[in-house]
Amino acid sequence: MTDLRARNRQATREAITAAALRLAVEQGPSGLALVRVNDIASAAGVSPRTYNNYFSSREEAICGGQADQSRRAGDALRARPAGEPLDVAITEAMVGLFTDPEPDRAGLRMIMLTPELEGEALRAFTVGESSLAEAIAERTGESGLRPEVTAAAVVAAIRVAGRHWLTPAANRPFADDIRRALSCVFSPDQTSR
Amino acid sequence: MTDLRARNRQATREAITAAALRLAVEQGPSGLALVRVNDIASAAGVSPRTYNNYFSSREEAICGGQADQSRRAGDALRARPAGEPLDVAITEAMVGLFTDPEPDRAGLRMIMLTPELEGEALRAFTVGESSLAEAIAERTGESGLRPEVTAAAVVAAIRVAGRHWLTPAANRPFADDIRRALSCVFSPDQTSR
DNA sequence: CGCAAATAGTGCGTGACACGCAAACATGTG
DNA sequence: CACATGTTTGCGTGTCACGCACTATTTGCG
């Protein structure tokens, strides 16, 4: 097992992000400003100063969980069997990563649909790009632009899928939206060329 | 012509973004914190309070120009001849939009490679997605996920292209990188499936 | 085991900042 | 020329991020 210190650190980090996201959801997108640093810190059981050792803005704390998840994208792809074609490997890896467990609608809605969080939310998804790009490069043996572009396109597609999944009235599983979005990436429209 | 008011407003906005970016470039990525709101405002010839009417953070001001450019993505695509295949229409529209004029390397480097600006930089590029998606939907007659995913993938590819163009030693025109990146989007790797 | 070094948590102080408010000011209209 | 609408500005306030110094906890080594 890893360091006790490392585990504690991870635990506090998660406590803070969880508290931050929970409080933000409680206040709703309009009342984001009412979520004070003090509240987050005390809800997480740490001092405000410690909160600030982990995150340098409320936004970052709120989106921290999403960022952690995205960062695992590379490992998720590496966990797929080697023989699998690239497109299905990526698709299944992303479906597994982002729907296990099925995300909390309220939380994702807060992160993705609150204007003040837009920048941090994009960052949270985008931090996964580099790790995913590396994993793609390893798998395909390619280097240079293509793995990076593929990774960026995949992440972008998942973002769009998330937006659609949050659309009211739609009650599909998130996996469906991810699959549909990624299929747009892997087989672009040929008819309208 | 449009309102005098509207033009003045636009002029002030541009003065502020220009001043903000210039000062940021002067200090370099490490000294971003030294670029004070007061400096930006006085360099732009407005009061600090007015600066704050236009932008609610230094980061937003610095990246404002990039955001304005991205917002024109939809119009750029609409300006392409109707008969053109979608992929070349998008490619040429984006090349035109982002290389006329050829961007300032120092400015783009500041925006794209400064960690504290990452969130805003992503936002700046991403604001173009919706307008581009609409234009794609108009052109193809499709609706739903595909236009949005395509737009998001295109924007993501351009971001990657920008990163590569900023790579030291490479002295290609930006247009080359954009074309290469977009071709990865429009014809994904079929060999490694 | 016990001690020294490394690392994490905390309190305090400070400078900067975003924004509400209300008053001056500019611009377009009948 | 007056009136309505939109813009700039100064001031005051609450919040925040972070440097610094100190304490507590964990770790590795003799």
Side-chain angles (χ1 to χ4, degrees):
Chain A
M1 193 181 303
T2 53
D3 232 336
L4 203 182
R5 280 204 159 115
R7 271 181 296 136
N8 278 342
R9 222 183 133 71
Q10 185 61 21
T12 23
R13 184 183 161 89
E14 279 165 20
I16 296 175
T17 61
L21 184 53
R22 183 174 61 80
L23 292 178
V25 168
E26 280 178 18
Q27 298 291 337
S30 52
L32 217 190
L34 301 182
V35 179
R36 306 273 213 266
V37 164
N38 277 328
D39 307 336
I40 299 177
S42 70
V46 296
S47 79
R49 189 61 184 83
T50 297
Y51 146 87
N52 216 19
N53 284 340
Y54 283 83
F55 301 98
S56 57
S57 71
R58 280 190 313 264
E59 296 79 7
E60 195 183 338
I62 294 173
C63 300
Q66 189 60 62
D68 290 345
Q69 188 178 41
S70 301
R71 257 185 278 268
R72 288 192 284 272
D75 293 332
L77 176 57
R78 273 184 268 263
R80 299 300 306 179
E84 222 168 24
L86 182 65
D87 54 351
V88 341
I90 292 181
T91 303
E92 297 309 314
M94 295 303 108
V95 167
L97 176 62
F98 288 102
T99 67
D100 177 31
E102 188 89 345
D104 170 45
R105 266 204 160 82
L108 193 60
R109 168 168 285 123
M110 168 64 63
I111 290 178
M112 294 197 71
L113 267 42
T114 301
E116 294 98 317
L117 291 179
E118 197 182 342
E120 266 307 311
L122 287 167
R123 227 177 66 120
F125 283 101
T126 310
V127 284
E129 279 183 13
S130 57
S131 109
L132 183 58
E134 275 179 44
I136 292 176
E138 291 171 16
R139 179 175 273 258
T140 63
E142 281 179 303
S143 69
L145 222 52
R146 185 177 287 275
E148 290 185 46
V149 172
T150 308
V154 165
V155 170
I158 290 173
R159 222 173 8 88
V160 175
R163 232 164 39 211
H164 270 248
W165 183 63
L166 290 176
T167 271
N171 218 10
R172 300 179 290 281
F174 190 18
D176 288 10
D177 283 310
I178 296 183
R179 287 209 166 83
R180 294 203 302 141
L182 286 182
S183 78
C184 295
V185 169
F186 291 120
S187 41
D189 192 354
Q190 300 299 324
T191 68
S192 43
R193 289 220 182 159
Chain B
M1 193 181 303
T2 54
D3 229 337
L4 202 179
R5 278 197 159 119
R7 272 181 295 136
N8 277 344
R9 222 183 132 72
Q10 184 61 20
T12 333
R13 184 183 161 90
E14 278 164 21
I16 297 176
T17 61
L21 183 54
R22 183 174 60 80
L23 292 178
V25 168
E26 280 177 19
Q27 299 291 337
S30 52
L32 216 191
L34 301 182
V35 178
R36 307 268 214 264
V37 163
N38 277 328
D39 306 336
I40 299 177
S42 71
V46 296
S47 79
R49 189 61 184 83
T50 297
Y51 146 88
N52 216 19
N53 284 339
Y54 285 82
F55 301 98
S56 57
S57 72
R58 280 191 311 262
E59 294 80 5
E60 196 183 339
I62 294 173
C63 300
Q66 190 59 61
D68 290 344
Q69 188 177 40
S70 302
R71 258 185 276 268
R72 287 186 234 116
D75 292 333
L77 176 56
R78 274 184 267 261
R80 300 300 306 179
E84 221 169 24
L86 183 65
D87 55 351
V88 340
I90 292 181
T91 304
E92 296 311 313
M94 294 303 110
V95 166
L97 177 61
F98 288 102
T99 67
D100 178 30
E102 188 89 346
D104 169 45
R105 266 205 161 80
L108 195 60
R109 168 168 284 122
M110 167 63 63
I111 290 177
M112 294 198 68
L113 267 43
T114 302
E116 294 97 318
L117 291 180
E118 198 182 342
E120 266 305 312
L122 287 167
R123 229 179 64 123
F125 282 102
T126 308
V127 285
E129 279 182 13
S130 57
S131 108
L132 183 58
E134 274 180 44
I136 292 176
E138 290 171 18
R139 177 175 273 259
T140 63
E142 282 179 303
S143 68
L145 223 51
R146 184 177 287 275
E148 290 185 46
V149 172
T150 307
V154 165
V155 170
I158 290 172
R159 226 177 0 95
V160 175
R163 235 167 32 215
H164 271 248
W165 183 63
L166 291 175
T167 272
N171 218 10
R172 300 180 290 281
F174 190 18
D176 288 11
D177 283 310
I178 296 183
R179 287 208 165 85
R180 295 203 302 140
L182 286 181
S183 78
C184 294
V185 169
F186 290 119
S187 41
D189 191 353
Q190 300 299 325
T191 69
S192 45
R193 290 221 182 158

